[in-house]
Amino acid sequence: MQHILRMIKPYYKLIAIAVFAVVLNVFGSMLIPTISAEMINLGVRGAAVSSVLKQGLVMLGATVISSASGILAGYLIAKIGAGLTYDVQTALYKHSLSLSASEFERFGTGSMLTRSLNDVFYLRAGLLMLIGDILPVPIMFILGTVFTFRISSNMGFLLLGTMSFVIIIGAFIIKNASAIFEKLQTLLDKMNVILRETYVGVRVIRAFNKEGHEKSRLKQSFEEYATSAIRVNRLYAGLDSLALAAINICIAAIFYLGGKNVLAGKMEIGHITAVTEYIALALYNIVFAQMVLLMLPKAIVSLKRINEVLDVSPSITDSPNPKTPDSGTSEVVLFNSASLRYEGALEDALSSLSFSCRRGETTALIGGTGSGKSSVAKLLLRFNDVSEGSVLFGDVDIRDMRLSDLRGRISYIPQKAWLFAGTIADNLRFGDPEASDECLREALITAQAEFVFDLPLGLDTEVSQGGTNFSGGQRQRLAIARALVKKADLYIFDDSFSALDFKTDLALRRALESRLKDSAVLIIAQRVNTISGSDKIVVLDNGKICGIGKHDELMQDCMLYREIAVSQSKGGAVVG
């Protein structure tokens, strides 16, 4: 809760002015029936026109003040809502970037999108409705009751009884609605996940002829959501019907009692009009507020879900006393008995790794599926921290470095080549916004991505989200070119050659040798052909090192490496 209160704090003055404007608007609205009743009574008594006109001018003044304050309140409420939406969404976005991979995965991408969009919308709507729609109700309730009791105590008690009935019914319905709204938000998360999986995996779905299965899965999810939504709508309808019936019965009773009082000379006819308007204003606003109150449980649930994200304290943060490594050291990275155990896991993903990556050399990691190869890259980038041991960058433990400094010294090509919507040039400049077009061309040539030069718009060619308008191999080469544009001490290629044919793979590795001769290179691969020329090859098996050396040495001394090499060779011939 303290997160939201801290974000609301800058708007306290605007909220105070908006509250004052709302109060003024309500007071003016409730004053108008009193003035109107007096004008009617003056007319019935046969008073002078000047007296009626005088009351008319007072009514005009009350109307102007009420309208102006209503417009001001609406403007301020909209301004507060827009500012708060921006602040909360920005806070969620920045906080999500600070979370480690395991911390982010507690929520998942679908849920994070829902929290950043839907939940922020409901939170904003709840706050604004609280000020603009719910706050006027107690004021109208008090003023309407006081003004009615001044005219007739019987009518005052009638108004109190009707209001109490409507409020009790509303409270009962709101209590039942809260649990349904919480379920709706959970179902919305589920729908987002299924839709995202369907859109992203549409080719796989078609390839396996599973359209029917996915339709039934979506249908089930939508039906669960629709069933809960219909229950909420029934609550709305029930409240609306009961409240309107109570209002109409109350007004009919007012006319009956008022008529008797007028005939008995206890009340003037204008007072009946005034009391009717008091009741209509008060009760209609109570009904509307209760409709709004049905939204508050959703806002409260949304607030809780937003706080769940903001309450997570990032486990990976900058050191309070950051150190800067010596850029001149030949040993760029050193793993010193480094182990990694993911949150909730029973075993280490990496266990006691000890090896180094040196400047001007290529170090390779190879192993079977699930051997922990990509976890090494996560440690280097501090997506996760070691559970035991240490990882040094130069002469400094990476936990003692600023995250921006560490990641600024590393250029990373992930397993899945992801491109962003924009142009090819925009994507290539992701690591160096100031890079010249010539620098981009050199990176493309090194990455064997000369196909860009054959495109009609060249570097200005549009890239769709995820780079889906390019083939897998083209995306991978563009991702490599993007990494090469960035000047770094360490380049990590995380299975970045898997979509390339052998000829392109070989040409790319030769081009990288000369371009990256002053940096350390770490290649994570599954193909022996990709890494056979590396200066050092580290073989992983179930998160442990089972061999370190050059290709020829490992072929002699490491059984696992030899098995991998033989299995990948044509006809069982040894790769070399």
Side-chain angles (χ1 to χ4, degrees), residues 324-488:
T324 302
D326 183 0
S327 300
T329 57
S330 60
E331 199 169 64
V332 177
V333 169
L334 173 65
F335 283 79
N336 185 16
S337 299
S339 298
L340 169 65
R341 178 174 295 189
Y342 290 111
E343 185 179 357
L346 299 177
E347 298 180 352
D348 289 341
L350 298 173
S351 180
S352 300
L353 301 191
S354 293
F355 69 93
S356 64
C357 299
R358 301 178 66 86
R359 199 177 300 276
E361 293 184 359
T362 297
T363 303
L365 285 176
I366 193 169
T369 302
S371 60
K373 302 186 296 296
S374 293
S375 295
V376 172
K378 292 178 181 179
L379 281 182
L380 284 168
L381 290 158
R382 284 199 74 196
F383 293 161
N384 296 93
D385 270 340
V386 292
S387 49
E388 291 181 15
S390 61
V391 179
L392 304 183
F393 201 98
D395 55 348
V396 176
D397 191 315
I398 61 174
R399 290 169 293 186
D400 294 329
M401 296 175 64
R402 287 191 179 91
L403 286 169
S404 58
D405 184 21
L406 171 66
R407 292 169 184 170
R409 295 169 181 266
I410 299 174
S411 195
Y412 174 60
I413 305 95
Q415 277 182 312
K416 183 179 180 181
W418 180 268
L419 301 178
F420 297 91
T423 64
I424 290 177
D426 293 334
N427 275 273
L428 296 185
R429 289 193 175 98
F430 204 69
D432 183 3
E434 304 302 322
S436 64
D437 285 353
E438 184 60 32
C439 179
L440 303 188
R441 291 189 187 94
E442 289 176 3
L444 287 168
I445 292 170
T446 304
Q448 311 300 302
E450 293 96 334
F451 69 88
V452 173
F453 306 136
D454 298 327
L455 298 173
L457 296 178
L459 289 169
D460 294 324
T461 301
E462 287 293 324
V463 179
S464 62
Q465 186 183 34
T468 53
N469 54 331
F470 294 99
S471 68
Q474 289 175 328
R475 285 198 301 272
Q476 213 159 48
R477 282 177 279 168
L478 287 173
I480 292 170
R482 176 175 60 196
L484 295 176
V485 170
K486 180 181 178 181
K487 301 296 184 289

Side-chain angles (χ1 to χ4, degrees), residues 198-308:
T198 302
Y199 291 143
V200 173
V202 64
R203 293 181 182 178
V204 177
I205 293 168
R206 290 174 178 171
F208 282 86
N209 198 27
K210 300 294 284 185
E211 291 95 332
H213 173 265
E214 289 303 309
K215 283 180 181 177
S216 63
R217 200 159 71 110
L218 281 169
K219 183 180 179 183
Q220 180 183 356
S221 178
F222 290 156
E223 284 179 349
E224 287 178 5
Y225 186 87
T227 301
S228 297
I230 289 169
R231 287 178 62 193
V232 171
N233 287 330
R234 283 175 179 164
L235 292 175
Y236 272 101
L239 176 60
D240 190 38
S241 301
L242 289 171
L244 286 176
I247 291 169
N248 288 324
I249 291 170
C250 183
I251 289 174
I254 292 295
F255 282 133
Y256 173 74
L257 292 174
K260 288 183 68 175
N261 286 337
V262 169
L263 290 174
K266 298 178 182 178
M267 180 188 294
E268 294 185 89
I269 195 168
H271 290 147
I272 298 176
T273 306
V275 172
T276 304
E277 290 190 43
Y278 296 149
I279 291 173
L281 282 170
L283 289 177
Y284 274 117
N285 276 276
I286 287 174
V287 172
F288 183 72
Q290 289 183 327
M291 294 289 188
V292 171
L293 281 171
L294 286 174
M295 297 294 292
L296 283 187
K298 186 177 284 190
I300 292 168
V301 170
S302 295
L303 175 61
K304 178 183 174 184
R305 285 158 52 85
I306 290 168
N307 277 323
E308 283 175 354

